[in-house]
């Protein structure tokens, strides 16, 4: 009972997010109780887009600042699709000043760059800035009710900062001496082959 009360409190906190401004509904299309929309920008949390997760699906954790317009709009749409008005499960977690929302798919998801060209799913990693095309759908199966956020596509906006830090850790600056081959050569032609301009 205590867990249900805690969940109810969390859901009520989410519902109040709508009071923080106008939740514009651009890029939203609604059919019956199913709503399709393009999210605002988020940071990728865990990512299972290049290969299936342990449950046989593809998904991404969308991490928003809790006071951002992007998450307020998305939560508003989740509330709109929630036919049970808070009595069921919603895929939203509040952690400090972050709001995390899981979007999932049974099928491979198309990934695009900022030029709307299709790219490999492996291009998206934790920490990258993305947007997503999602479908918000209520469900009721075997007595369980709630709302699912289904993933249709992801657009990569930028690499995450952690990638830059990772590159600095992996490849510190190299002085001339350390680039030489053991045989005493300069090794320059090999470097040119690896990092052609």
């Amino acid at each position: 009972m205590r867990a249900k009360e805690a969940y109810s409190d969390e859901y009520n906190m989410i519902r109040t997010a709508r009071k923080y401004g106008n939740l514009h509904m651009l890029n939203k299309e609604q059919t019956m109780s199913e709503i399709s929309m393009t999210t605002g920008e988020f940071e990728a949390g865990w990512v299972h887009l290049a290969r299936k997760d342990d449950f046989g699906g593809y998904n991404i954790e969308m991490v928003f600042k809790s006071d951002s317009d992007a998450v307020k709009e998305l939560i508003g749409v989740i509330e709109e699709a929630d036919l049970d008005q808070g009595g069921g499960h919603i895929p939203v977690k509040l952690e400090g000043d972050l709001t995390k929302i899981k979007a999932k798919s049974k099928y491979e998801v198309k990934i695009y760059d900022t030029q709307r060209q299709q790219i490999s799913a492996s291009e998206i990693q934790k920490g990258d800035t993305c947007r997503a095309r999602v479908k918000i759908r209520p469900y009721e199966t075997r007595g369980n009710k709630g709302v699912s956020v289904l993933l249709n596509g992801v657009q990569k906006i930028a690499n995450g900062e952690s990638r830059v830090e990772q590159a600095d850790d992996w490849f510190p600056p190299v002085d001339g001496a350390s680039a030489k081959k053991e045989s005493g050569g300069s090794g320059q032609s090999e470097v040119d082959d690896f990092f052609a301009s």
Side-chain angles (χ1 to χ4, degrees):
M1 187 70 172
R2 188 172 298 167
K4 187 167 180 69
E5 288 172 4
Y7 175 80
S8 179
D9 289 343
E10 180 179 20
Y11 185 77
N12 287 333
M13 287 172 59
I14 293 167
R15 289 183 67 87
T16 60
R18 296 189 80 175
K19 297 179 182 176
Y20 290 103
N22 291 329
L23 298 175
H24 60 87
M25 295 308 210
L26 298 176
N27 292 321
K28 187 188 80 169
E29 298 151 16
Q30 185 167 0
T31 309
M32 301 295 285
S33 57
E34 193 175 89
I35 304 170
S36 293
M37 67 176 289
T38 300
T39 71
E41 293 182 8
F42 59 84
E43 180 180 316
W46 38 254
V47 178
H48 292 283
L49 296 173
R51 65 180 191 279
K52 293 182 178 180
D53 64 13
D54 294 340
F55 302 99
Y58 300 90
N59 52 68
I60 188 168
E61 180 184 48
M62 303 182 289
V63 181
F64 299 89
K65 290 284 188 185
S66 293
D67 61 354
S68 71
D69 290 339
V71 78
K72 291 172 193 172
E73 180 180 12
L74 183 52
I75 288 172
V77 175
I78 290 171
E79 286 183 347
E80 191 174 330
D82 182 10
L83 303 179
D84 204 39
Q85 297 300 305
H89 173 265
I90 58 170
V92 178
K93 289 183 183 175
L94 301 175
E95 293 184 10
D97 64 345
L98 299 177
T99 299
K100 300 180 178 183
I101 300 176
K102 177 181 179 179
K104 61 185 180 178
S105 174
K106 293 180 182 177
Y107 311 102
E108 286 187 31
V109 177
K110 290 185 178 179
I111 313 298
Y112 301 92
D113 62 16
T114 54
Q115 304 303 309
R116 292 177 293 198
Q117 299 298 312
Q118 197 166 340
I119 59 175
S120 168
S122 62
E123 290 289 319
I124 296 186
Q125 298 179 22
K126 184 175 181 177
D128 289 350
T129 301
C130 303
R131 297 193 307 163
R133 184 68 181 178
V134 295
K135 185 179 289 184
I136 317 297
R137 177 188 293 168
Y139 66 85
E140 182 173 0
T141 53
R142 298 176 191 161
N144 296 319
K145 296 180 181 180
V147 178
S148 291
V149 179
L150 305 178
L151 187 61
N152 290 334
V154 178
Q155 182 182 41
K156 178 179 173 179
I157 306 298
N159 285 341
E161 290 180 14
S162 60
R163 287 209 203 185
V164 176
E165 294 167 5
Q166 198 172 57
D168 289 344
D169 291 341
W170 287 353
F171 305 108
V174 179
D175 62 17
S178 61
K180 293 180 181 177
K181 290 183 178 178
E182 289 180 11
S183 63
S186 70
Q188 188 58 50
S189 62
E190 191 174 331
V191 171
D192 289 345
D193 289 342
F194 287 163
F195 305 105
S197 54

